Amino acid sequence: MFGAWHIVEGNFAFLLLASGAAIASPVGGWLGSHGKIGTLFLSISVGMAAGVLLGTFTFEMIPTAGAAAGKIPTIAGFVVGFLTVYIFDLYINHGFIAGHESDEWHKLSRLHRIQRARGSKVTLLAGSTAIEELIEGLSIGVGLAADPNLGVMIGVAIMLDNVVEGMSIAEIIRAEEGENASRSIYVWTCLIGLALFSSAIVGWTFLSDIAPSMLGVLLAFGAGGMFYLTIADLLPRSAKTQYQQSAALAVAAGFLLIFALTNR
Ligand SMILES: [Zn+2]
């Protein structure tokens, strides 16, 4: 039975994790706004965050979801989470995503000359990050409700992710707005942190009482959404900022770190 002490303890752990992951964004922004972060450092830290997230899905979130909800609901939750972020990404990019070296790139750049992208590059990036944080926050709340250790794991992985995310957002804002960018950096990274914190509260307070199988599906949903972000956003960013080898090594290190920390 859960006594009053357990409730207090649970809420305290939640507040610590959710506020830590939320504050990580402005902290990353602050780090990024003070002097240039080297590309090698950025590549290694972004790669490390990607590896830690991949390890968290692989060794923690998906196995826990599978045990609670069964295989088919877990796969369904993952697919829906993945598609939600994928479709959001398509919407932001006017239904068209192509790499610079692809045959489709010419078509895309022509399209963009006709219809300008929705908002400036900074607004687009920071705004979409804030919306993506909703899934991360939800995963912290739901993860903690499913299993305290899992919640801590997810929270710490997202904390690391948000520091490097804040740093690279700061780099991009600085590139667009020059040396007077600090204000925009603080406003955006605080907004991103706030988005995470509010959805974490929703995950923790409203979803902690639902059936374990439903928690499993939500966990798979969160894993699918964050999986897309890791593969489509973090990994390319890590590989692009430096030699691909530094990225690959950092991803592997982060991935194995989570395996080492997992008690399975
Ligand atoms: Zn994030």
Side-chain angles (χ1 to χ4, degrees):
M1 281 306 283
F2 277 93
W5 170 242
H6 281 95
I7 294 167
V8 170
E9 204 176 33
N11 282 330
F12 181 69
F14 165 77
L15 275 179
L16 208 64
L17 278 173
S19 52
I23 288 166
S25 293
V27 166
W30 180 79
L31 288 172
S33 66
H34 285 258
K36 189 147 176 54
I37 298 160
T39 50
L40 179 62
F41 179 74
L42 203 61
S43 165
I44 290 173
S45 50
V46 173
M48 188 80 148
V52 163
L53 282 172
L54 286 175
T56 308
F57 313 145
T58 310
F59 304 120
E60 293 285 340
M61 291 176 83
I62 295 170
T64 306
K71 210 147 247 184
I72 301 290
T74 297
I75 292 171
F78 186 94
V79 168
V80 173
F82 186 97
L83 285 180
T84 300
V85 186
Y86 182 86
I87 289 166
F88 176 70
D89 211 8
L90 273 179
Y91 168 76
I92 290 283
N93 290 289
H94 283 292
F96 209 96
I97 302 174
H100 278 270
E101 273 142 41
S102 69
D103 295 339
E104 287 78 17
W105 177 252
H106 280 297
K107 202 171 143 203
L108 177 67
S109 51
R110 227 182 304 127
L111 190 84
H112 269 271
R113 244 176 285 137
I114 301 162
Q115 305 167 271
R116 293 298 301 154
R118 296 178 211 272
S120 78
K121 203 174 153 198
V122 169
T123 328
L124 209 68
L125 176 83
S128 62
T129 305
I131 290 171
E132 288 156 3
E133 291 306 301
L134 298 178
I135 289 188
E136 294 183 7
L138 194 73
S139 300
I140 294 179
V142 168
L144 203 61
D147 172 9
N149 291 326
L150 176 67
V152 171
M153 212 73 143
I154 297 173
V156 171
I158 289 174
M159 218 177 280
L160 181 64
D161 162 58
N162 284 356
V163 171
V164 301
E165 201 172 59
M167 290 194 308
S168 59
I169 283 175
E171 289 271 291
I172 291 164
I173 295 181
R174 270 156 57 99
E176 199 159 281
E177 297 184 7
E179 288 308 308
N180 305 318
S182 317
R183 220 184 94 88
S184 296
I185 294 172
Y186 290 129
V187 169
W188 275 118
T189 51
C190 284
L191 218 64
I192 289 167
L194 206 67
L196 177 133
F197 192 75
S198 40
S199 74
I201 287 183
V202 171
W204 175 245
T205 45
F206 297 110
L207 301 174
S208 52
D209 286 337
I210 60 172
S213 61
M214 212 34 227
L215 269 184
V217 173
L218 281 172
L219 213 50
F221 173 84
M226 289 199 284
F227 187 88
Y228 176 83
L229 294 177
T230 308
I231 300 294
D233 186 30
L234 279 183
L235 286 180
R237 218 187 295 170
S238 164
K240 201 171 64 189
T241 41
Q242 251 292 334
Y243 307 111
Q244 317 244 322
Q245 283 75 9
S246 61
L249 287 171
V251 174
F255 185 74
L256 281 177
L257 177 72
I258 297 303
F259 178 69
L261 292 175
T262 302
N263 346 298
R264 277 177 210 283

